Amino acid sequence: MASNIFTSFDTSGQGMTVQRMRLSAVANNIANANTTKGPDGKPYQREVVVVRAVADSPFERELEAQIQIVKTNDEHGPNIKDTLAPDEPKVLQAKTVKDNTPPRLVYDPHHPEADEQGYVHMPNINIVTEMVEMITAQRAFDANTQVVDAAKNVARYSLEI
């Protein structure tokens, strides 16, 4: 649960990082849409960003509660966990993986990479799918920037009270 304004910034920052990863994967996919051979001799495989929510485990919460610094004097600065919510988890976890869809077979017997039957193994990339992925990532990035902007306005208006 978000407990202060900085948590909103952090959560939206994580979302923007994931969208940037998606845009990078789309850029790689579009750039390699016609790459018939990579360093391994196989056609380029599409990159996909897999995003998962990070579960907040009771073990992690208990561990954080046990290792916090005990405040022995009121003049001591607050523990960093005191300023943030003690149970504030990282919200997202993302990684880029290869799509294992088989390569497209294109009949082109005159292509230098054609096999004995005249088929060229092309990457498993559909440009239309990549464009949809790009637009979706852009919209999600815009939504995260709107959240940051709204949180900024809330902080500014709070200071004006």
Side-chain angles (χ1 to χ4, degrees), residues 48-151:
V48 179
V49 176
V50 177
V51 183
R52 295 193 178 158
V54 175
D56 184 24
S57 72
F59 174 76
E60 288 177 347
R61 272 186 273 150
E62 187 62 32
L63 181 65
E64 289 292 329
Q66 294 295 321
I67 62 172
Q68 285 190 10
I69 297 172
V70 177
K71 201 169 169 184
T72 56
N73 187 338
D74 289 334
E75 293 180 8
H76 290 163
N79 188 352
I80 192 161
K81 279 293 183 183
D82 289 341
T83 58
L84 300 174
D87 58 347
E88 203 61 46
K90 185 176 177 183
V91 179
L92 299 172
Q93 185 176 29
K95 65 179 180 179
T96 304
V97 297
K98 296 288 185 185
D99 183 0
N100 290 325
T101 307
R104 290 181 296 125
L105 292 179
V106 175
Y107 184 73
D108 187 3
H110 302 294
H111 194 283
E113 302 293 335
D115 61 10
E116 311 80 46
Q117 297 159 345
Y119 287 99
V120 179
H121 296 257
M122 300 296 286
N124 54 357
I125 297 170
N126 182 341
I127 293 295
V128 175
T129 303
E130 298 304 321
M131 294 300 288
V132 169
E133 183 76 16
M134 181 178 66
I135 291 169
T136 305
Q138 181 185 6
R139 298 266 166 91
F141 191 91
D142 288 344
N144 280 301
T145 58
Q146 292 296 317
V147 169
V148 169
D149 197 38

